[in-house]
Amino acid sequence: MEVSGTVKLVNEVKQITPTLRKGELVITTEEAYPQTLMIEFVNDRAELLNNIKPGERVSVSINLRGREWNSPSGEIKYFVSLSGWKIAQGSSGDSPAAPPQAPSAAASSYGSGFADNSKKMGEPEMDDDLPF
């Protein structure tokens, strides 16, 4: 799975246990409803964060991880994390975003799925692809 966006924050790599190192990258996606995502990089993958700076555009290859945790009181909780394993750096976040692409001919020939409100009420519907 891959996610792209602009780097918001790069947290310092920390030694959690003698065998576990972890770094975190926070990115904001560039879509209609931007999402702020925290992606973990563990052990040797944490080194990938060394050259990443806030404001850069990146594409991050991730794995989705989930786990169950039993609290001391017996309550069961579920957690989800994004685990990064590859980063591809793009252009600076200062550059303008690419313009949206026009719909393809195939998409426009099938319509948008919404009613066409451009016709006036009471006007007969004309079908232009009749053979005569």
Side-chain angles (χ1 to χ4, degrees):
M1 194 179 301
E2 190 171 284
V3 63
S4 298
T6 303
V7 176
K8 184 173 184 171
L9 178 69
V10 181
N11 286 335
E12 178 181 326
V13 175
K14 295 180 181 176
Q15 190 76 38
I16 307 299
T17 68
T19 58
L20 176 65
R21 296 180 51 212
K22 184 168 87 168
E24 298 169 337
L25 173 71
V26 178
I27 68 169
T28 302
T29 62
E30 298 166 352
E31 53 195 356
Y33 299 101
Q35 302 295 308
T36 301
L37 305 172
M38 195 273 297
I39 304 167
E40 299 175 334
F41 290 81
V42 295
N43 294 333
D44 61 332
R45 302 293 186 192
E47 301 302 322
L48 297 172
L49 299 175
N50 288 345
N51 299 320
I52 305 298
K53 306 282 183 253
E56 286 184 309
R57 293 186 69 220
V58 294
S59 291
V60 184
S61 297
I62 61 170
N63 290 328
L64 189 60
R65 303 280 185 207
R67 59 190 159 93
E68 180 180 286
W69 178 70
N70 292 312
S71 73
S73 66
E75 183 180 10
I76 298 174
K77 292 191 176 193
Y78 299 92
F79 295 92
V80 175
S81 62
L82 303 176
S83 179
W85 53 273
K86 180 180 170 185
I87 300 175
Q89 291 173 276
S91 61
S92 168
D94 298 335
S95 66
Q101 295 185 2
S104 68
S108 61
S109 68
Y110 291 108
S112 65
F114 295 102
D116 182 4
N117 294 328
S118 62
K119 296 181 180 114
K120 294 183 177 137
M121 291 195 61
E123 198 174 282
E125 186 170 313
M126 302 293 277
D127 193 351
D128 288 338
D129 54 300
L130 292 176
F132 50 90

